[in-house]
Amino acid sequence: MGGARDVGWVAAGLVLAAGACYCIYRLTRGQRRGARRLGLRPSRSAEDLTNGSYDDILNAEQLQKLLYLLESTEDPVIIEKALVTLGNNAAFSANQVIIRELGGITIIGSQINNPNQSIKEKALNALNNLSVNVENQIKIKVYVNQVCEDVLSGPLNSAEQLAGLRLLTNMTVTNDHQHVLSAYVAGLFHVLLTGNGSTKVQVLKLLLNLSENPAMTDGLLGAQVDSSFLSLFDVHVAKEILVRALTLFQNIDNCFKKEGRLVPQPPFPEGSLFYLLYGDECAQKMRALVYHHDTDVKEKVTMIPKF
């Protein structure tokens, strides 16, 4: 699974992500249809574009009004509504391009530093939808360091932390921007081990992206990781976490072996992920998982070399 991804695979993945965004958008549209059936005619004012009265996707002129409103107002209620509307519209590929061309990524991105945590979350959600477009990622890249810092220092298991992790996951679907996260790998493992189930799953999705890139292998294996990481391989761990943790091990091992390096002579420090994955305790856990009740888990274990 290592190496640069096949272009077709990446394109398919981005299309699937866009489809998921579209489904989320559809869930917000029921009230709009009711207004249309009653014959209500929506206003063309910028603020009214945020009130849920429009059933159609906003056009370029409306998006421009909305971006101007977001840039000019200091009302937190209006800011949040504008971000939600922009985020919903960013679920559509045409609007991903229009918002970028109108300078919207910079306007939306400025809100990730807003002290209002709900506004920050909505801004991250909007950037996440916009990041499905590869060209948009080039502009969103400038916010990756800030998002990483916020994910590591912000409230654990919070909505804004999860929104930040989702954005980072989208930004690392390809190998283009993964190197920006190199300095944050150890911190991401800390969030993985201290977060709840939802946080663990989202961090693992992000680490899985990194683990498929051979250029990130040394950074992952050299990261200082608490020994509690091995508890992810316990037999009682939820399947959605366990399978991802096993896949992470498998990806890293594949990349490491493809470079033709010998496991007994690593250039990694004590306390690093390398010593956890290739140590005796981990090997014992792998042997125990061979007898796991779940077929998917057992299949994953058989694809990892035993020591």
Side-chain angles (χ1 to χ4, degrees):
M1 293 181 68
R5 306 218 182 132
D6 179 80
V7 173
W9 182 93
V10 172
L14 293 177
V15 168
L16 286 173
C21 295
Y22 174 75
C23 291
I24 294 171
Y25 175 79
R26 292 285 298 181
L27 292 175
T28 68
R29 301 173 69 186
Q31 293 180 336
R32 303 180 187 181
R33 293 195 183 93
R36 174 174 287 183
R37 285 195 297 270
L38 293 172
L40 301 179
R41 186 170 183 174
S43 166
R44 288 183 174 274
S45 72
E47 287 189 27
D48 283 344
L49 293 174
T50 69
N51 68 9
S53 64
Y54 282 86
D55 189 37
D56 298 325
I57 306 170
L58 300 187
N59 59 34
E61 180 185 357
Q62 292 168 324
L63 289 169
Q64 188 171 38
K65 286 183 180 181
L66 200 56
L67 288 167
Y68 177 77
L69 174 65
L70 179 60
E71 193 173 28
S72 59
T73 187
E74 295 183 358
D75 186 328
V77 175
I78 295 176
I79 291 173
E80 187 168 349
K81 287 183 176 180
L83 287 170
V84 170
T85 304
L86 286 165
N88 286 340
N89 276 266
F92 299 90
S93 57
N95 279 346
Q96 291 162 7
V97 176
I98 292 171
I99 291 172
R100 180 185 72 241
E101 293 177 345
L102 290 173
I105 291 176
T106 300
I107 296 171
I108 294 169
S110 67
Q111 295 296 334
I112 68 172
N113 290 316
N114 196 302
N116 184 311
Q117 296 302 305
S118 184
I119 288 176
K120 180 192 289 285
E121 177 204 351
K122 303 306 187 297
L124 289 167
N125 287 338
L127 289 177
N128 185 44
N129 284 354
L130 288 165
S131 71
V132 174
N133 181 293
V134 176
E135 290 185 46
N136 286 356
Q137 289 192 359
I138 298 171
K139 292 187 175 295
I140 296 172
K141 177 184 175 181
V142 301
Y143 303 108
V144 169
N145 284 301
Q146 181 62 55
V147 175
C148 286
E149 295 285 349
D150 290 346
V151 163
L152 301 187
S153 63
L156 185 65
N157 305 321
S158 62
E160 59 267 27
Q161 184 182 61
L162 286 171
L165 286 169
R166 286 192 293 269
L167 174 58
L168 294 175
T169 302
N170 256 8
M171 289 293 293
T172 54
V173 167
T174 68
N175 297 346
D176 296 342
H177 312 300
Q178 291 185 358
H179 63 280
V180 182
L181 279 71
S182 296
Y184 305 100
V185 169
L188 289 171
F189 275 106
H190 177 73
V191 174
L192 169 67
L193 299 179
T194 55
N196 62 19
S198 297
T199 300
K200 280 179 165 57
V201 168
Q202 196 59 56
V203 177
L204 282 169
K205 288 179 180 179
L206 172 55
L207 291 174
L208 282 172
N209 284 350
L210 303 183
S211 71
E212 293 187 0
N213 181 2
M216 298 296 294
T217 303
D218 278 7
L220 291 167
L221 286 174
Q224 291 291 304
V225 179
D226 190 85
S227 60
S228 61
F229 173 82
L230 293 179
S231 66
L232 297 178
F233 299 128
D234 288 347
V235 294
H236 64 271
V237 170
K239 177 182 175 179
E240 62 178 351
I241 294 173
L242 179 54
V243 170
R244 287 186 172 92
L246 289 169
T247 305
L248 178 67
F249 187 179
Q250 179 190 350
N251 289 351
I252 292 173
D253 187 71
N254 286 343
C255 289
F256 189 67
K257 298 293 180 56
K258 280 184 178 179
E259 294 180 3
R261 293 159 68 173
L262 299 176
V263 172
Q265 299 176 346
F268 303 111
E270 293 282 348
S272 65
L273 180 65
F274 175 88
Y275 280 93
L276 294 178
L277 291 180
Y278 295 100
D280 291 338
E281 184 179 351
C282 186
Q284 292 173 7
K285 287 181 178 291
M286 293 301 109
R287 288 192 287 270
L289 288 174
V290 171
Y291 303 100
H292 197 278
H293 66 275
D294 187 271
T295 304
D296 292 335
V297 172
K298 288 192 288 188
E299 181 180 352
K300 280 293 178 185
V301 174
T302 60
M303 300 176 72
I304 299 174
K306 304 175 182 64
F307 307 104

